[in-house]
Amino acid sequence: MKSEIEQYADFSRIRYAQCWEDADILLKALQVKEGGHYVSIASAGDNSFAILANNPGKVIAVDLNESQLCCVELRKEAYRSLNYEEFLHFAGVTEGNKNQREDIYFSIRNQLSVPCRKFWDKNLDVIRKGFIHGGKFEHYFELFRKYILRLVHSKKCIDSMFRARTESERIQFYYKVWNNRRWRLLYHIFFSRRLLGKIGRDEAFFNYVDGNVAERILRRTERGFFKVPMHENPYLHYVVYGNYDLNVLPYAFRKENFEVIKKNIDRLEIRKQSLEEYLKEIPESEVDGFNLSDIFEYMSEENMQFLYEKILKASKSGARLAYWNMLVPRSCPKKFYTKVNRKKELSKKLTLEDKAYFYHHFVVEEVK
């Protein structure tokens, strides 16, 4: 069976060169079991690699977008072949000679599959910049930095955002310094449904979205300002500066996790197929946990219910399901309430910890 979004969305390019989802809360939700079997929506791969750092038996990374899977495969070979400093440079996290990145690519190229080689041979400009900078979504944030943020605040004001503050001080900074009329006006224009669909995500991702998109994302941004210390938020740092602070990196890029991911790298299997197709291939009660990203947003409630039933059949008792809601509210369908523990308090707690602040809700559920 084809996934619903497969019929509408464009899968011909890198949509996300990074996973814009917080692996720290994902891992708290999944409670990864040593030796367990986990299924993860691939995206750019970062959260699938984060699961590897917790010693599962295997992680299946599935995606419909071949470009995204090429991102995962390139990362996989980079983890396998490079040391930590080389990995960060190749990724584009640290500065350096762009030609050196190309040299690194050609040193690992023959280990890649033929389709992946062909893809990256055509996209050497992304290799030279660093693979974390090459997606449509990253380009969207680049436009935001260059053409919106600079019109709203001075560099001095922007830099001051990342000072260590208490929550009450962050709230005061936001309302007294940051939240001016230009900020609200330009934010509503740039994060409107039309612009976000055209140049940020994909218009098909808004098929089930109601209401004012920009206003809702602005409210999440404010929560991000208030609840998570800004100087500890790697995603906010990337949005504002176009790269990460080496002292504040996403989970899969941290030095303390690198060697474990490297050791477990062959436990990651990459599949170009829909989740529906993968679930048809495996026995019942096989999987210990699912990283479902935000896939339920892109399908009707009827199709979500159909897929959710397949997920439950594939899950062991105690398996955890973790997924994000950005603009469409989705959670366990009522007909499955007797089969699932909805971890409402944990979901609420982790949502407030979420450093990827633009999501509305993070959902954690456990199969009975």
Side-chain angles (χ1 to χ4, degrees):
M1 176 188 174
K2 279 193 172 186
S3 176
E4 180 179 340
I5 193 64
E6 192 176 1
Q7 303 171 47
Y8 306 112
D10 174 17
F11 291 114
S12 63
R13 61 175 294 181
I14 300 173
R15 181 169 287 112
Y16 306 107
Q18 305 171 53
C19 278
W20 289 91
E21 297 160 348
D22 186 355
D24 287 288
I25 67 166
L26 173 67
L27 295 173
K28 289 178 183 179
L30 290 180
Q31 296 184 341
V32 176
K33 298 175 183 176
E34 190 160 344
H37 176 174
Y38 291 85
V39 178
S40 179
I41 300 301
S43 184
D46 302 326
N47 286 355
S48 303
F49 292 113
I51 297 171
L52 281 185
N54 289 259
N55 293 310
K58 62 179 173 180
V59 178
I60 310 298
V62 300
D63 210 293
L64 293 165
N65 187 335
E66 189 167 353
S67 302
Q68 295 297 150
L69 294 177
C70 287
C71 291
V72 181
E73 188 177 341
L74 184 70
R75 275 168 164 77
K76 183 177 179 179
E77 195 53 48
Y79 275 110
R80 188 202 312 279
S81 302
L82 306 178
N83 64 37
Y84 182 64
E85 288 71 24
E86 291 169 333
F87 180 85
L88 288 188
H89 172 55
F90 186 51
V93 175
T94 55
E95 296 298 323
N97 189 309
K98 294 181 179 181
N99 292 330
Q100 288 178 339
R101 292 196 186 100
E102 191 172 333
D103 291 341
I104 291 173
Y105 166 67
F106 281 106
S107 76
I108 65 175
R109 178 182 178 276
N110 287 341
Q111 277 66 258
L112 302 173
S113 66
V114 172
C116 189
R117 274 182 244 163
K118 288 181 177 179
F119 176 83
W120 288 113
D121 287 352
K122 293 177 182 178
N123 289 279
L124 288 176
D125 57 326
V126 176
I127 294 291
R128 295 185 194 103
K129 286 192 302 184
F131 58 69
I132 68 169
H133 307 301
K136 182 178 181 181
F137 204 52
E138 288 73 26
H139 177 63
Y140 189 63
F141 283 135
E142 183 180 3
L143 296 175
F144 177 73
R145 277 191 304 278
K146 287 182 176 179
Y147 301 111
I148 301 297
L149 207 50
R150 290 178 184 179
L151 293 176
V152 175
H153 290 297
S154 67
K155 185 179 185 304
K156 182 179 179 181
C157 180
I158 292 168
D159 291 343
S160 73
M161 179 198 304
F162 292 95
R163 292 178 193 159
R165 293 181 174 90
T166 64
E167 182 175 343
S168 62
E169 288 170 339
R170 293 195 297 274
I171 293 171
Q172 186 177 41
F173 171 80
Y174 181 79
Y175 284 117
K176 289 193 174 182
V177 178
W178 193 266
N179 187 34
N180 61 29
R181 186 178 298 174
R182 280 174 297 174
W183 166 250
R184 295 191 297 273
L185 173 64
L186 293 172
Y187 199 100
H188 277 83
I189 294 171
F190 195 78
F191 288 97
S192 66
R193 178 197 298 254
R194 184 170 179 273
L195 275 184
L196 190 54
K198 284 282 186 186
I199 59 177
R201 303 186 88 203
D202 190 296
E203 290 177 291
F205 288 4
F206 294 88
N207 285 351
Y208 298 102
V209 175
D210 296 318
N212 187 320
V213 169
E215 182 63 26
R216 291 162 71 184
I217 296 175
L218 179 60
R219 297 283 82 82
R220 288 24 148 359
T221 302
E222 291 173 353
R223 185 186 71 197
F225 268 68
F226 304 158
K227 295 299 180 184
V228 179
M230 288 175 274
H231 68 289
E232 297 177 0
N233 191 331
Y235 307 103
L236 184 61
H237 201 279
Y238 188 94
V239 170
V240 170
Y241 292 115
N243 213 329
Y244 294 114
D245 181 331
L246 289 177
N247 297 310
V248 188
L249 293 168
Y251 190 95
F253 289 92
R254 295 174 199 158
K255 189 171 186 176
E256 64 267 27
N257 300 323
F258 180 81
E259 290 300 331
V260 187
I261 295 173
K262 186 183 185 77
K263 175 175 70 75
N264 293 334
I265 200 66
D266 287 324
R267 300 181 189 183
L268 179 76
E269 184 179 337
I270 301 169
R271 297 285 195 97
K272 184 183 182 298
Q273 58 187 160
S274 67
L275 180 58
E276 292 91 330
E277 290 169 334
Y278 175 70
L279 293 176
K280 284 169 61 178
E281 298 177 3
I282 63 174
E284 293 185 7
S285 304
E286 176 78 7
V287 181
D288 292 283
F290 288 85
N291 162 32
L292 296 166
S293 184
D294 59 350
I295 62 166
F296 293 139
E297 294 221 342
Y298 314 139
M299 58 184 72
S300 67
E301 290 189 32
E302 181 183 5
N303 283 338
M304 181 206 170
Q305 186 168 292
F306 177 85
L307 176 57
Y308 200 96
E309 184 173 21
K310 301 299 181 189
I311 290 169
L312 292 182
K313 285 182 179 178
S315 297
K316 294 179 183 177
S317 175
R320 289 284 182 94
L321 318 181
Y323 53 97
W324 281 264
N325 290 174
M326 183 174 177
L327 294 165
V328 181
R330 292 282 189 258
S331 61
C332 174
K334 287 184 179 180
K335 69 178 289 187
F336 301 121
Y337 277 6
T338 59
K339 298 181 178 182
V340 172
N341 288 320
R342 292 173 294 147
K343 313 291 280 187
K344 290 184 176 181
E345 288 305 312
L346 180 60
S347 299
K348 183 177 178 181
K349 176 179 179 292
L350 294 180
T351 296
L352 293 177
E353 294 178 14
D354 195 350
K355 294 184 286 295
Y357 51 85
F358 29 77
Y359 289 101
H360 170 62
H361 192 49
F362 180 62
V363 182
V364 187
E365 293 160 348
E366 185 176 87
V367 180
K368 291 183 180 179

